[in-house]
Amino acid sequence: MTYKHISALLGCTAFALTAFAAPVTPFADNNGQIPPSSEYSGPLFKLSHSYPSRAPVPAMPWRTAINNGLITTKNAGAYADALKAAVGRDMRVLIEDYANWNAAKRGWYNEPWLGAQREAIHGMYVGNGMLDTSLFKASGLTKPMTTYVLTYYDKTAAQTLQRVWKTTAMQPVITTASTQFPEGALIVKASFITADPTVWPVMEGSQAWPLYITVDATTGGYKTPKVVNTYFMQFDIIVKDSKSAPKTGWVYSTLVYDKNASGKTVWDKMVPLGAQWGNDPQANSTTDPSAPLVENWINPAAPPYGSETLGWGGRLSGPNDGAMNDIAFTVGGKQQLVKNAQDSSCMSCHSTAQWDVKNGRMPSFLLPATSNPPTTAGPDGNYLVSPAPGSAEWLRWFQNRKGTVPMDKGSVATDFDMVLAFKSLPAWYGATSGKKAQLKAADPAGKNRVMMYNGKELVE
């Protein structure tokens, strides 16, 4: 697996391993690196963690948009538009008017234990350490880029954070009941990139956010933190909706920036890339590439760059999401190496969200892999060892399971919440138990650095 692809598939789990030697501070706002006033003098990120124990049943206009029926490939566009409208009032302030953003007052909340990874200005952490130009040839990316992400839970979803973490976040309650989200729960994620419009023309006119960072694949990074402008590229909205999507209980929607879209503001120009509400297990996209997807919709009017990194068989996955990776697998006794293979999707990745309470880990990896921690192969050890695409083992990642059903027996399903299962819980476990079972996936060499594979440092 190459630098870019390890970074892509593990970027969303880029643990700041050095943080575990620091004092136990589950509600830290940031990594302790504050920009000097000479570089930045605006507001700093504040973690919102006064989780409500109760909240009224929310209005669900996305259901009304499809006449309270099932979501389908024909009405998914209306559903995605309704989701965008439902969060738009708050997200316009977050994205376009950050000086007036107050998450707690608006009823949006963050997960604990990730302060060591968060930069100070916007509370963002590395999404993908490096996505290189080979993934975006058609849209003209001229230099690699790093993505940064920020996740918020609305007050309905935050009831689950309260059940799991309580007030101290020191002794999480991990049961099937505690980890389930109420109907109508919304979780959003904003993704910004280090590639500016001169590096990637599709970003012309996008919203710029200053971040205080060291990891920047576009420039090669910095030895000490530096305030750098990043650009708004992707916005994900996921909703617990068992009525519209009864097979999984969730609908995933991804928006991408379109400089040519109508509207006056950047938020106006965020258009749906697509929606996904199941893994289409009936469609083996390897043995029958023409098999239709009936639980997945891709917007034909979305900007072309958004579709350059779709997942297996064209399943939904945004440019930030790392659904294309270099993989190694065996067919007929012969090893095959494939670059930029489509091997994931939004829901296939999140459906692996589970926690082995006894061993403090997720048993299966995010992507189809023969082990967790994953192993690598190839001439330079640069390819993820994977089940053969389309095989029975591969298809374990592309089943429809409800949020109460774990992928692996003996684990607790965390209702598609990958932040909980693959970030917050491992960070808590590493900080409080003195063990790093889950973190070996990010640091198999046992070095106290971030994301080492085969001696290669991927994220500093």
Side-chain angles (χ1 to χ4, degrees):
M1 201 171 312
T2 61
Y3 179 107
K4 77 172 181 195
H5 289 113
I6 286 287
S7 180
L9 68 90
L10 283 177
C12 58
T13 66
F15 301 106
L17 300 185
T18 54
F20 297 131
V24 177
T25 53
F27 298 124
D29 294 321
N30 55 58
N31 57 16
Q33 298 173 325
I34 308 300
S37 58
S38 59
E39 292 190 54
Y40 177 81
S41 58
L44 299 178
F45 174 78
K46 292 294 183 182
L47 195 78
S48 177
H49 59 87
S50 295
Y51 312 128
S53 59
R54 294 183 181 181
V57 176
M60 303 183 201
W62 43 89
R63 287 182 177 177
T64 305
I66 60 170
N67 297 316
N68 295 304
L70 299 177
I71 186 171
T72 69
T73 56
K74 293 182 178 180
N75 63 24
Y79 191 102
D81 287 340
L83 279 180
K84 180 187 177 185
V87 302
R89 181 177 180 180
D90 289 338
M91 295 305 108
R92 286 180 186 275
V93 178
L94 170 65
I95 301 299
E96 301 173 350
D97 188 19
Y98 192 71
N100 290 309
W101 172 250
N102 186 312
K105 286 185 177 180
R106 289 180 173 269
W108 292 92
Y109 304 88
N110 310 105
E111 67 281 2
W113 286 109
L114 303 181
Q117 301 176 41
R118 296 184 186 276
E119 58 82 38
I121 298 176
H122 288 283
M124 304 193 88
Y125 46 81
V126 172
N128 280 296
M130 185 170 100
L131 298 178
D132 79 7
T133 57
S134 71
L135 295 170
F136 301 98
K137 289 181 179 179
S139 55
L141 181 67
T142 59
K143 294 181 180 179
M145 61 185 178
T146 297
T147 73
Y148 283 83
V149 299
L150 174 63
T151 302
Y152 278 105
Y153 298 73
D154 79 344
K155 58 180 176 292
T156 304
Q159 294 173 93
T160 299
L161 298 184
Q162 198 280 332
R163 286 198 302 270
V164 170
W165 295 109
K166 304 299 183 183
T167 58
T168 66
M170 296 302 295
Q171 295 179 315
V173 178
I174 307 300
T175 66
T176 301
S178 69
T179 58
Q180 299 303 297
F181 287 90
E183 289 295 310
L186 287 167
I187 305 172
V188 300
K189 181 171 71 174
S191 302
F192 282 65
I193 61 173
T194 56
D196 66 28
T198 66
V199 171
W200 203 15
V202 298
M203 288 295 103
E204 182 183 351
S206 181
Q207 180 72 39
W209 267 14
L211 304 183
Y212 193 51
I213 59 175
T214 59
V215 182
D216 180 353
T218 305
T219 63
Y222 316 99
K223 291 183 179 180
T224 58
K226 181 179 179 181
V227 175
V228 176
N229 272 341
T230 59
Y231 298 85
F232 188 32
M233 175 191 67
Q234 180 176 325
F235 192 83
D236 300 308
I237 311 170
I238 69 173
V239 61
K240 181 68 174 286
D241 187 352
S242 299
K243 182 175 182 179
S244 302
K247 291 182 180 179
T248 62
W250 287 90
V251 178
Y252 279 64
S253 175
T254 293
L255 311 177
V256 290
Y257 175 69
D258 182 358
K259 68 178 183 179
N260 296 317
S262 60
K264 297 180 179 180
T265 72
V266 170
W267 180 255
D268 292 336
K269 293 177 180 293
M270 297 300 293
V271 302
L273 171 62
Q276 186 180 23
W277 52 98
N279 280 305
D280 277 295
Q282 83 291 338
N284 190 320
S285 298
T286 298
T287 60
D288 183 6
S290 65
L293 302 179
V294 297
E295 297 166 344
N296 188 90
W297 169 75
I298 302 301
N299 181 10
Y305 82 86
S307 296
E308 288 186 83
T309 53
L310 293 177
W312 185 49
R315 290 164 174 83
L316 180 65
S317 186
N320 169 71
D321 298 331
M324 294 176 65
N325 299 281
D326 297 352
I327 63 173
F329 55 91
T330 301
V331 176
K334 295 184 178 180
Q335 185 183 72
Q336 298 190 27
L337 305 177
V338 179
K339 295 186 70 64
N340 287 344
Q342 294 175 311
D343 68 340
S344 187
S345 75
C346 293
M347 292 204 79
S348 68
C349 174
H350 280 256
S351 70
T352 68
Q354 59 186 341
W355 187 253
D356 180 343
V357 176
K358 181 178 179 180
N359 296 302
R361 64 191 301 267
M362 271 181 55
S364 291
F365 193 50
L366 301 174
L367 310 180
T370 57
S371 63
N372 188 25
T375 56
T376 56
D380 300 312
N382 290 329
Y383 292 74
L384 172 71
V385 177
S386 165
S391 66
E393 178 64 12
W394 170 280
L395 292 174
R396 288 203 311 128
W397 276 260
F398 295 92
Q399 299 302 306
N400 284 343
R401 291 181 293 271
K402 293 187 176 181
T404 56
V405 180
M407 183 172 177
D408 297 284
K409 292 183 179 179
S411 294
V412 175
T414 61
D415 203 9
F416 287 75
D417 190 352
M418 189 56 67
V419 176
L420 174 65
F422 211 61
K423 291 187 72 69
S424 298
L425 281 174
W428 158 79
Y429 186 79
T432 60
S433 70
K435 300 177 182 179
K436 296 181 181 179
Q438 175 65 37
L439 299 180
K440 291 178 182 177
D443 188 19
K447 300 180 183 296
N448 194 27
R449 304 296 293 273
V450 176
M451 288 175 59
M452 297 286 294
Y453 259 79
N454 299 327
K456 297 179 181 179
E457 183 178 330
L458 304 181
V459 176
E460 297 181 321

